[in-house]
Amino acid sequence: MRKGWMMAALVLVVFISACSSNGGSKSPSATTKSPGSEAPAKTEKLYVPVISKGFQHQFWQAVRIGAEKAAAELNVDITYEGTETESQVDKQLEMLQVALDKKPSAIGFAALDSQASIPYLKKAKDAGIPVIAFDSGVDSDIPLSTVATDNAVAAGVAADKMAELIGGDGEIAIIAHDQTSRTGIDRRDGFKNRIEEKYPNIKIVDIQYGGGDHLKSTDAAKAIMQAYPNLKGIFGTNEGSAIGVINAVMEAKAVGKVTIIGYDSGKAQIDAIKNGTMAGAISQNPVGIGYETVKAAVAAAKGETIKPAIDSGFVWYDKTNIDNEDVKAVLYE
Amino acid sequence: MNNTTVVEQKPQFAIKSGLQQFLVFGSLILLVIFFSIASDNFFNFSNIIGILLSTAVIGVLALGSTFVIITGGIDLSVGTVMTLSAVMTGVFITIWGLPVPVGIVGGLLTGALCGFISGFSIARLGIPPFIATLAMMMIAKGLALVISEAKPIYFTDNEVFMEISLGSVLGDLIPGFDIPNAVLIFFIVAIFGSILLSKTIVGRYNFAIGSNEEATRLSGINVRNWKIVIYTVTGVFTGIAGILMASRLNTAHPSLGAGYELEAIAAVIIGGTSLSGGKGTILGTVIGALIMSVLTNGLRIMSVPQEWQTVVVGFVILLAVYADILRRRKS
């Protein structure tokens, strides 16, 4: 009997190892080699690890596509990895440490926390490894460049659109994804400051955080609508938050009564804009962020000078322009 | 039959847990009264429905967790197994284009299989429940990402699927009584769980194992097999939660669900089920889950900052467990 179990266990182990070698290429932290690179990474070919904030959202997959595109064009090796959720600051630091240990040519890094990574970045600087920050900036001058959307400006545009759509007065609310990351802070404050400065008749009655979790954002938005029956609009600061708001407004049967403005894209937001549930959204250019990050990292590794801030741009999209080619190019499903 | 010793213990539990449930229920009522006074927008039909709807997913998870916690075990994998079940349902319905009922069965079987594997690891391989289900938590999390290729699976082409959570069978029968199906399913699952726990052999052995595993084994009951059965039952409940979540969001999202197991365990404990096993009720868990969502909803309606909401929930868990300890000292 005991022998039987041991055999079964052995089979299981073999099976699992077989699975992992097959499935490896699909795993989120997979090594991605540019096409036509049979040579191992040890050759003089540049190696750039890209550390993102996750793959919870399609956004990060789109960044990856851009990064891989640049890697293929510039003939360098990259790895792309990210944390499971956008709150795992500690795990991300481990990833950064591992990446540093591999002595790469340069590093692309999207900080989950604008402070926590600074000691590691100092190590990178001491080792002469150039760092390119992307998506979120870091409170440090070590990164040679930051490739990002100017989130505060973009959220200000969202605020203008909101004001226009609700007629310049009334109560609105924000469902944000978190209180600590740069994007969370910039989008929330960019929106809030614009409303406060320019639209005195509009009142932001509540700001709640759903951690980018669809279900929690849904419940938070519903509670706000419950507490403020006259609410005219809600701004969701990322994909998960915006989808939560859409769900909440649909569940509360308040479509048309509550104006929804979102951020980023993804199929659910695109569908909601097409069918009129959502008024519109700001999209960053994730493919561009990935592309520009790798491009800047390669330039830095080669000792070329690069601009300290690379704006990857943003677009406002709604029903009227969602099918335009230039808008389609920055959206992802 | 040696089993009689086990059976005789039951009424004793019923009396104790009766008092306990009264206290827990009393706290729920107090909370509701408090929030009703604090905010005009709390106590009305649509918000009550909102609270019930937000209880459904965590509630069903908590119902399942009640079974393993009564054995004196724990299941840390329910959050991510729920996600895996949702993803598998998505694979069946959206990717393979199979009919909705097949997808539902697929989701339930996924949950059951994960529960079975956890139970097997615990009962047959002798791995402590904490470790075995921690491993399952990671396995399920990883598989959900691998299978879905880290992309959400949408059910948008399938209108029937969303009805599972958000349609209203009751509303169709009685106009104006629009209670979403998810809430109805939550209560049906609770009634089913209650019968399973208090009227069947599964429940009886569940309590027996939890109060004295050695005695149960000596009285001729195959404890190992029953443990596997109990973890599988938890798995099925987890599968139901997965389908409810996927249906409500109309998406199977491969990285949601992490951390939900702790909320479920908190609901079970607030409901008076003892972490050391042998004691607990389904009604208690239902009330525990309701307390959690009433708190979250009420604090949100009062616009209490999110950071403080979490602190309050933490204190409530402390209080609930302390109350349990006090009661046990008295008896």
Side-chain angles (χ1 to χ4, degrees):
Chain A
M1 198 57 194
R2 178 150 285 193
K3 230 174 196 177
W5 287 125
M6 288 182 68
M7 282 304 291
L10 193 68
V11 169
L12 193 68
V13 168
V14 172
F15 174 67
I16 289 172
S17 52
C19 282
S20 58
S21 58
N22 285 338
S25 61
K26 279 172 188 170
S27 81
S29 58
T31 307
T32 311
K33 287 194 176 160
S34 50
S37 65
E38 264 85 50
K42 286 226 167 149
T43 57
E44 69 277 18
K45 209 167 161 187
L46 297 176
Y47 165 59
V48 181
V50 180
I51 299 170
S52 77
K53 290 184 189 174
F55 33 88
Q56 170 155 7
H57 300 298
Q58 293 309 294
F59 182 81
W60 299 110
Q61 296 289 334
V63 172
R64 179 182 186 163
I65 290 169
E68 285 169 358
K69 192 172 154 223
E73 280 176 18
L74 300 166
N75 193 30
V76 297
D77 282 335
I78 65 161
T79 48
Y80 186 89
E81 55 185 343
T83 52
E84 273 147 17
T85 72
E86 289 177 30
S87 54
Q88 294 177 327
V89 178
D90 50 339
K91 283 212 174 147
Q92 195 189 35
L93 296 181
E94 283 166 27
M95 288 176 179
L96 186 55
Q97 179 63 56
V98 171
L100 286 172
D101 292 343
K102 288 194 253 180
K103 306 210 176 359
S105 324
I107 288 182
F109 180 63
L112 277 174
D113 185 294
S114 52
Q115 303 263 353
S117 57
I118 291 172
Y120 294 84
L121 296 179
K122 282 192 177 131
K123 280 190 209 168
K125 193 185 182 189
D126 294 343
I129 301 166
V131 178
I132 306 296
F134 67 100
D135 188 56
S136 285
V138 182
D139 294 338
S140 152
D141 52 6
I142 294 170
L144 295 175
S145 178
T146 303
V147 181
T149 314
D150 192 331
N151 279 295
V153 172
V157 170
D160 288 337
K161 292 285 180 186
M162 177 68 90
E164 186 190 318
L165 289 164
I166 65 169
D169 65 33
E171 296 178 336
I172 57 171
I174 301 174
I175 297 289
H177 53 285
D178 69 52
Q179 300 109 304
T180 49
S181 80
R182 205 64 254 166
T183 56
I185 295 166
D186 285 350
R187 290 178 192 179
R188 179 195 66 198
D189 292 350
F191 186 89
K192 193 167 150 252
N193 294 341
R194 184 74 173 182
I195 293 285
E196 282 167 1
E197 281 160 18
K198 226 180 139 187
Y199 307 100
N201 296 330
I202 298 179
K203 189 166 172 257
I204 297 176
V205 290
D206 204 352
I207 300 173
Q208 294 275 346
Y209 303 86
D213 179 308
H214 301 39
L215 205 55
K216 287 181 178 156
S217 304
T218 306
D219 288 333
K222 272 183 98 171
I224 293 178
M225 280 191 276
Q226 194 67 45
Y228 302 95
N230 299 322
L231 200 72
K232 278 179 147 177
I234 307 179
F235 173 49
T237 63
N238 79 344
E239 187 184 344
S241 312
I243 292 171
V245 177
I246 296 169
N247 287 342
V249 170
M250 274 167 43
E251 285 181 13
K253 301 197 172 60
V255 176
K257 189 173 160 277
V258 175
T259 301
I260 310 171
I261 288 179
Y263 213 112
D264 300 334
S265 44
K267 190 171 189 301
Q269 281 198 84
I270 293 171
D271 286 351
I273 287 174
K274 284 185 176 164
N275 71 27
T277 313
M278 182 179 230
I282 298 283
S283 175
Q284 306 186 70
N285 180 359
V287 179
I289 292 178
Y291 184 86
E292 293 294 337
T293 302
V294 171
K295 204 174 140 196
V298 170
K302 288 180 177 163
E304 295 163 17
T305 46
I306 45 175
K307 282 192 290 181
I310 300 171
D311 186 359
S312 50
F314 67 90
V315 278
W316 162 262
Y317 67 105
D318 56 21
K319 224 173 186 171
T320 59
N321 68 357
I322 196 163
D323 287 323
N324 294 359
E325 284 307 318
D326 54 331
V327 172
K328 261 187 180 166
V330 301
L331 300 183
Y332 52 89
E333 290 223 328
Chain B
M1 282 284 278
N2 286 331
N3 299 2
T4 45
T5 49
V6 173
V7 179
E8 273 166 11
Q9 285 178 354
K10 245 196 72 203
Q12 210 185 327
F13 289 127
I15 293 164
K16 262 195 232 157
S17 53
L19 173 71
Q20 172 141 7
Q21 260 159 39
F22 181 75
L23 286 171
V24 177
F25 189 65
S27 331
L28 177 61
I29 299 296
L30 278 180
L31 273 178
V32 171
I33 293 172
F34 171 77
F35 285 125
S36 303
I37 295 168
S39 168
D40 297 338
N41 299 308
F42 179 79
F43 198 79
N44 59 49
F45 186 72
S46 76
N47 193 45
I48 299 299
I49 295 300
I51 292 172
L52 291 173
L53 187 58
S54 66
T55 315
V57 171
I58 293 286
V60 172
L61 276 188
L63 290 174
S65 303
T66 309
F67 286 86
V68 290
I69 293 176
I70 289 176
T71 65
I74 193 98
D75 193 343
L76 296 177
S77 70
V78 294
T80 57
V81 169
M82 169 184 85
T83 311
L84 182 61
S85 300
V87 166
M88 285 310 294
T89 307
V91 168
F92 279 107
I93 295 176
T94 302
I95 296 181
W96 292 344
L98 295 170
V100 171
V102 179
I104 293 173
V105 172
L108 295 180
L109 283 179
T110 306
L113 183 67
C114 292
F116 177 83
I117 295 171
S118 290
F120 185 87
S121 319
I122 293 159
R124 290 281 166 191
L125 307 181
I127 301 171
F130 191 90
I131 309 293
T133 58
L134 184 72
M136 179 50 74
M137 168 175 123
M138 292 175 174
I139 293 169
K141 187 197 269 178
L143 282 179
L145 287 166
V146 171
I147 291 169
S148 63
E149 295 177 18
K151 285 195 212 77
I153 303 173
Y154 296 98
F155 298 93
T156 33
D157 301 334
N158 202 317
E159 281 175 16
V160 188
F161 189 71
M162 203 163 182
E163 294 289 306
I164 297 173
S165 266
L166 296 177
S168 179
V169 173
L170 285 178
D172 293 344
L173 290 174
I174 314 160
F177 200 60
D178 292 325
I179 293 180
N181 290 338
V183 174
L184 189 65
I185 292 170
F186 171 49
F187 285 116
I188 291 172
V189 170
I191 291 167
F192 172 77
S194 184
I195 292 170
L196 193 64
L197 194 61
S198 58
K199 304 273 184 232
T200 68
I201 195 165
V202 179
R204 210 178 311 150
Y205 288 169
N206 197 339
F207 279 111
I209 293 171
S211 41
N212 193 335
E213 191 172 328
E214 190 61 14
T216 312
R217 194 178 61 78
L218 290 175
S219 58
I221 295 164
N222 190 333
V223 169
R224 289 175 163 190
N225 283 357
W226 281 108
K227 268 195 181 172
I228 296 178
V229 169
I230 291 162
Y231 277 86
T232 309
V233 167
T234 301
V236 174
F237 278 71
T238 309
I240 297 172
I243 292 161
L244 285 181
M245 183 179 76
S247 157
R248 182 167 175 206
L249 298 174
N250 219 8
T251 319
H253 222 290
S255 48
L256 289 190
Y260 283 49
E261 64 280 346
L262 297 179
E263 287 182 38
I265 292 169
V268 174
I269 290 169
I270 292 174
T273 297
S274 165
L275 261 185
S276 43
K279 196 160 76 71
T281 58
I282 290 294
L283 183 59
T285 299
V286 170
I287 298 170
L290 285 172
I291 287 181
M292 296 265 293
S293 40
V294 164
L295 259 181
T296 317
N297 176 282
L299 294 170
R300 269 179 186 152
I301 284 193
M302 287 173 69
S303 299
V304 172
Q306 187 118 10
E307 301 83 336
W308 286 106
Q309 296 176 13
T310 322
V311 174
V312 171
V313 173
F315 271 112
V316 169
I317 294 171
L318 269 187
L319 270 178
V321 178
Y322 184 61
D324 183 47
I325 291 172
L326 279 186
R327 271 194 305 277
R328 259 189 294 167
R329 266 191 212 151
K330 272 185 198 161
S331 60

